[in-house]
């Protein structure tokens, strides 16, 4: 039996990616949780980009445009029960690679498809105009897809080092950084728990880019540092939070003196399942263990259902973070392994 063949498309226009997926809707519908990050990223790009401008013009200065990656299997490789398209092979995988420093995020795909994505991106990087694609330093997303991509990418790198006759014995190896587990909630909590530290939800309509935005950006930066995430430029963080404030998707908990002590953001519901993802969630270290995180998460979930129109809310937690996992199960979230994710970094061997 011959190995399946895959065609990998690299698309710079979110509108073109959306149109291609709309013509083959079965793929995203079959994987609502594990494609949520892809879905919400694409939805945000559609809402914030101008279709009349080029991808480079829609990207912040100095940031390569996001690459939307679609994987198709030839009709001959699909099972007999799979309806065929009269004009194109079916989409069986998706991924995206932003220029902000985050590794490619890979959704579920058949064995061999993620390796094909690595081959295609490697070829594109070798032949690209400088600055078109951001550097690739790891992989995230569906555990099997990310692992296959990472293994293939490191194999390609080793072959490249060898072909250059390097005597430094440098090569890349994939190393798992963390596992991320998914929690879901299908209805809002009946009430917001009253924290031991007191305080209240700052009304989302009262949040301002003048007063609240600097604290939100600082909190997001601290969140990235604590979790060893790729650093995103402050102006990009500010633009994202400004949009979230405008759309009233930010929950800020303040103490009795009016000082902000916790924040959470929900993403606009995406996909046919209308799933909204909560994140980031952050409480400054000196304000922890006072109940602020539980209060701001519950508030944010209620906002996502009531104001955002979500039919399900999900969030991701580090599987090694016992405190976060206890917080979310205590808040009424349920584990759902279908959406579990992984982060892999490349390291010198």
């Amino acid at each position: 039996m011959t190995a399946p063949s895959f065609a990998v498309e690299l698309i710079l226009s979110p509108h073109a990616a959306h149109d291609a997926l709309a013509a083959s809707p079965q793929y995203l519908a079959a994987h609502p949780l594990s494609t949520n990050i892809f879905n919400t990223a694409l939805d945000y790009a559609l809402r914030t980009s101008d279709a009349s401008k080029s991808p480079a013009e829609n990207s912040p200065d100095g940031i390569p445009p996001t690459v939307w990656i679609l994987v198709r299997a030839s009709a001959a490789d699909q099972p007999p029960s799979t309806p065929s398209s009269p004009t194109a092979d079916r989409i069986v995988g998706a991924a995206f690679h932003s220029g902000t420093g985050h590794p490619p995020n890979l959704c579920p795909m058949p064995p061999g498809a993620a390796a094909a994505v690595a081959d295609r991106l490697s070829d594109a990087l070798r032949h690209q105009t400088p600055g078109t694609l951001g550097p690739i330093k790891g992989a995230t997303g569906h555990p099997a897809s990310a692992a296959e991509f990472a293994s293939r990418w490191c194999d390609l790198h080793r072959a490249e080092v060898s072909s250059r006759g390097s005597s430094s014995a440098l090569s890349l190896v994939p190393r798992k950084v963390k596992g991320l587990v998914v929690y879901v909630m299908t209805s809002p909590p009946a009430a917001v728990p009253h924290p031991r530290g007191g305080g209240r939800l700052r009304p989302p309509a009262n949040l301002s880019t003048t007063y609240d935005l600097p604290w939100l950006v600082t909190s997001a930066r601290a969140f990235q540092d604590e979790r060893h995430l790729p650093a995103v430029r402050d102006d990009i963080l500010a633009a994202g939070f400004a949009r979230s404030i405008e759309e009233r998707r930010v929950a800020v908990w303040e103490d009795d003196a009016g000082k902000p002590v916790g924040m959470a953001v929900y993403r606009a519901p995406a996909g046919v399942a209308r799933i909204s993802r909560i994140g980031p969630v952050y409480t400054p270290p000196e304000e922890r263990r006072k109940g602020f995180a539980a209060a701001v998460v519950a508030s944010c979930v209620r906002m996502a259902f009531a104001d955002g129109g979500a039919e399900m809310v999900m969030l991701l937690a580090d599987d090694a973070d016992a405190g976060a996992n206890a917080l979310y199960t205590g808040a009424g979230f349920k584990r759902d392994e279908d959406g579990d994710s992984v982060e892999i970094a490349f390291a010198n061997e």
Side-chain angles (χ1 to χ4, degrees), residues 12 27 62 70 87 126 169 172 179 182 209 271 334 344 349:
L12 294 181
Y27 172 70
L70 302 181
T87 58
R126 284 196 300 269
L172 287 181
V182 164
T209 54
K334 305 297 183 183
I344 297 173
E349 192 173 41

Side-chain angles (χ1 to χ4, degrees), residues 106 114-115 139-153 174 342 344 346:
L106 293 102
T140 67
H142 185 264
S145 300
E148 181 180 286
F149 175 93
S151 177
R152 178 59 177 164
W153 190 267
V342 67
I344 297 173
F346 301 153

Side-chain angles (χ1 to χ4, degrees), residues 185 188-192 266 278 297-308 313:
M185 190 178 289
V192 174
Y266 76 85
I278 304 291
V297 167
S299 299
C300 195
V301 170
R302 286 162 63 92
M303 289 164 55
F305 279 111
D307 305 323
V313 169

